[in-house]
């Protein structure tokens, strides 16, 4: 679900209401962060920081999980997931577990608005 | 298993011979990368790059999985795992799956030596 975009990355929301789960998708053909040039890496890490601080501040978030995996979808993408000790997968990881609850249109719109308000001036809402 | 250290991070090897699985442990009390100051982040990302390129070049590695999770162990640590389409967990993630094969002392010594030779001059072997 498209939330918006930064300078380098599009920002998506995973349709799993159990946890706040964002995905940054940099515009690139390389499949590993280490193969981005250093300028692109710097921009990517800055955008990951922005999303990380945003997710950290959401209600109930106790821990971040930040990961570049890409075994299934080769387009480079980075997960930023807000976790807490009572969530659907804790203390395990969220990947590979079926979504328990989807967003309604209204719930998604609320997240989109929260992101638009909280992600700073380099972010353009979808 | 201690492999050595960089300027910021200790480098560990997970005792699971199914995949090359390294863990960077920065010297810090914060539990999220986004809470490191920007200089420490820059050093961390440089060390992750070094380990990523090293793991990428190992026999049979087709994909990297790079992740900061820390749901169980709160000390900040970053996994760099070399994956391939026939490994024990593919296409799933490696976390939460029991190690299938441990290293012998001799096998570990070989990895330690490979790391000492391949991780550049900022790396000190254990």
């Amino acid at each position: 679900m498209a939330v918006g975009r930064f300078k380098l990355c599009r920002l998506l929301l995973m349709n799993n209401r159990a946890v706040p789960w964002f995905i940054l998708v940099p515009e690139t053909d390389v499949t590993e962060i280490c193969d981005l040039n250093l300028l692109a890496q710097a921009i990517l890490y800055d955008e990951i920081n922005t999303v990380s601080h945003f997710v950290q501040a959401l209600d109930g978030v106790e821990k971040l999980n930040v990961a570049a995996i890409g075994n299934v979808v080769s387009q480079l993408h980075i997960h930023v997931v807000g976790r807490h000790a009572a969530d659907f997968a804790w203390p395990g990881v969220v990947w590979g577990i079926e979504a328990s609850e989807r967003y309604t249109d209204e719930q998604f719109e609320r997240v989109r608005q929260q992101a638009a308000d909280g992600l700073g001036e380099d972010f353009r809402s979808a």
Side-chain angles (χ1 to χ4, degrees), chain A:
Chain A
M1 305 162 86
V3 181
R5 58 169 306 126
F6 293 99
K7 182 170 173 172
L8 180 67
C9 296
R10 285 184 298 128
L11 184 67
L12 311 179
L13 180 72
M14 187 70 99
N15 195 356
N16 181 341
R17 211 167 73 84
V19 287
W21 182 340
F22 292 87
I23 299 176
L24 289 134
V25 185
E27 251 174 51
T28 178
D29 292 334
V30 308
T31 55
E32 307 291 356
I33 294 175
C34 66
D35 292 329
L36 291 170
N37 67 53
L38 290 179
L39 175 59
Q41 283 192 33
I43 298 171
L44 173 63
Y45 287 133
D46 183 55
E47 296 177 358
I48 291 174
N49 268 358
T50 300
V51 176
S52 294
H53 286 302
F54 172 75
V55 173
Q56 234 179 356
L58 295 175
D59 275 354
V61 171
E62 294 164 2
K63 185 70 194 78
L64 298 178
N65 290 175
V66 180
I69 301 173
N71 303 342
V72 178
V73 175
S74 67
Q75 163 69 49
L76 183 59
H77 60 283
I78 295 92
H79 302 264
V80 179
V81 190
R83 305 295 309 273
H84 65 91
D87 73 33
F88 77 123
W90 187 273
V93 295
V94 293
W95 303 284
I97 303 187
E98 197 60 33
S100 40
E101 271 183 286
R102 309 263 173 202
Y103 287 94
T104 64
D105 289 352
E106 197 183 328
Q107 287 162 345
F108 173 62
E109 178 53 28
R110 212 173 302 140
V111 176
R112 210 191 53 76
Q113 194 55 57
Q114 222 172 353
D117 295 343
L119 286 175
E121 57 187 20
D122 287 339
F123 181 72
R124 295 280 166 276
S125 195

